[in-house]
Amino acid sequence: MRTYQKVIVSILGVLVIMVAAVTGYGMKVLGDANKAVDTISQQVNRTTKKREVAVNFGDKDPFSILLLGVDTGALGRKDHGRSDSMMVVTVNPAEEQTTIVSLDRDILSDMLDGVTFDKLNHAYAYGDVELAMDVVEKLVDVPIDHYVMMNMQGLRDLIDAVGGIEVDNKIDFTLEKVHVPAGKITLDGKTGLAYARMRKDDPEGDIGRQRRQREVIAKIVDKLISLDSVSNYQKILKAVEKNSRTDLVWDQMLNIVTNYYPAFENIEQAQLEGQGEQINGIYYQILGVNELLKVQNLLKEQLGLPTNEELEIDPQFQYSINGFIGNQFYDDRDYSSQENSAESFYEQ
């Protein structure tokens, strides 16, 4: 599945419900939400290498979440799966901004065993959430503080739980016998899942699909933040607890609700993409040095971290046998300009 970054939504669903509980449903909702969080909480056996001191939600530190959409849970798929959707989300309460950066699943990435370079989405298959977080952390060069994972069925259930989402679909298509017409339409869980998964009929391929995935996230978040969604809180919680997991615990979520909520109302989106290349007969996305640097600096700015003027490359990967820097990147630097800021990098 390529969309289950509907993940931030799973957290936001719980968070929004808790906020609404204060005014609407009281302790009943808080109790149900607490149980749901206990169900989905699963800690990871890793610590970010990019921070000396862990994020303190009480102090309103900016933080990051890796969103993983796993291609299991629906359409008869029950295996471990791969994280065919991956997004890095940064939340900055001082700026009242959330940033979502989509990562192409085919990005050639270091699997951190000293020898293996493979597609980014294989990290989850090789080493579950822990390796996925470590591989992404090295790639984007910012701390990955937490994760949220959701499967296909979770997205479908969540869209239904919020009463559907409205989109302006540009491409009339049918995916696995599910027809999604062009135009301004309301998607339910079934059609919404297809809308987020479709790739082959989109002229932009994975890039177009990832754009639709981010759109779905934003639409669900809008619904979750609205008061109308609170009446469906039990459906939302059910969608979350059956099909997702996270290392965030109840107290952390309460702090996020208290200190970060306005940031979720301002979501900026960006895309990390490279160029397609065949290596040993296998398709990969190869990232440009400058493109990756821009994304790294964008995320660092959002997390309040120092930016870099040049991409840092491990000395052992400085030289390439196939024309790419470190067998992983190509040189897209503009030598007529040294400007590497993240300004105007956001999608319009």
Side-chain angles (χ1 to χ4, degrees), residues 182-227:
K184 295 183 178 180
I185 56 175
T186 298
L187 303 173
D188 60 10
K190 185 176 182 179
T191 54
L193 182 61
Y195 182 76
R197 293 184 61 229
M198 187 274 287
R199 173 176 59 94
K200 292 184 178 179
D201 290 334
D202 193 320
E204 294 184 289
D206 261 347
I207 302 304
R209 175 170 59 185
Q210 290 164 24
R211 184 176 292 111
R212 279 180 275 109
Q213 290 169 2
R214 295 192 299 273
E215 178 189 8
V216 169
I217 292 177
K219 297 285 187 180
I220 296 177
V221 169
D222 287 344
K223 277 295 194 77
L224 289 170
I225 290 176
S226 74
L227 292 177

Side-chain angles (χ1 to χ4, degrees), residues 177-283:
K177 300 182 180 180
V178 177
H179 179 233
V180 182
K184 295 183 178 180
I185 56 175
T186 298
L187 303 173
D188 60 10
K190 185 176 182 179
T191 54
L193 182 61
Y195 182 76
R197 293 184 61 229
M198 187 274 287
R199 173 176 59 94
K200 292 184 178 179
D201 290 334
D202 193 320
E204 294 184 289
D206 261 347
I207 302 304
R209 175 170 59 185
Q210 290 164 24
R211 184 176 292 111
R212 279 180 275 109
Q213 290 169 2
R214 295 192 299 273
E215 178 189 8
V216 169
I217 292 177
K219 297 285 187 180
I220 296 177
V221 169
D222 287 344
K223 277 295 194 77
L224 289 170
I225 290 176
S226 74
L227 292 177
D228 291 341
S229 292
V230 176
S231 62
N232 294 328
Y233 80 91
Q234 288 180 321
K235 291 181 180 178
I236 295 170
L237 287 176
K238 185 177 180 180
V240 169
E241 65 183 345
K242 288 176 59 179
N243 302 292
S244 61
R245 56 184 165 115
T246 179
D247 62 338
L248 288 166
V249 298
W250 178 249
D251 288 345
Q252 291 172 321
M253 288 191 176
L254 286 176
N255 273 323
I256 292 173
V257 169
T258 303
N259 297 324
Y260 296 80
Y261 187 79
F264 294 123
E265 296 182 306
N266 180 21
I267 299 177
E268 299 284 356
Q269 306 175 20
Q271 171 80 50
L272 176 59
E273 60 180 297
Q275 63 182 20
E277 297 287 344
Q278 293 282 334
I279 300 177
N280 296 325
I282 300 174
Y283 175 84

Side-chain angles (χ1 to χ4, degrees), residues 24-96:
Y25 293 89
M27 295 306 296
K28 169 61 177 173
V29 177
L30 285 175
D32 288 349
N34 196 341
K35 291 178 182 178
V37 173
D38 286 345
T39 299
I40 67 176
S41 289
Q42 183 170 324
Q43 298 305 299
V44 291
N45 184 26
R46 55 91 65 178
T47 302
T48 175
K49 299 178 177 62
K50 299 293 183 179
R51 289 192 191 276
E52 294 182 358
V53 179
V55 165
N56 188 320
F57 293 117
D59 290 342
K60 300 184 179 180
D61 293 339
F63 70 96
S64 67
I65 299 177
L66 175 63
L67 307 183
L68 300 166
V70 182
D71 60 350
T72 59
L75 306 177
R77 301 178 186 179
K78 298 180 180 180
D79 58 353
H80 181 72
R82 297 172 181 170
S83 55
D84 274 356
S85 290
M86 306 181 78
M87 296 184 183
V88 175
V89 176
T90 57
V91 185
N92 188 316
E95 300 294 331
E96 296 188 352

Side-chain angles (χ1 to χ4, degrees), residues 12-30:
L12 288 176
V14 176
L15 300 184
V16 171
I17 289 164
M18 290 189 289
V19 171
V22 176
T23 57
Y25 293 89
M27 295 306 296
K28 169 61 177 173
V29 177
L30 285 175

Side-chain angles (χ1 to χ4, degrees), residues 308-335:
N308 290 336
E309 294 186 1
E310 294 184 359
L311 187 71
E312 295 184 358
I313 301 175
D314 286 353
Q316 62 178 321
F317 301 133
Q318 283 286 356
Y319 300 100
S320 169
I321 61 173
N322 63 2
F324 299 117
I325 296 176
N327 293 326
Q328 190 179 5
F329 313 115
Y330 71 95
D331 195 347
D332 64 343
R333 288 172 288 192
D334 180 3
Y335 292 97

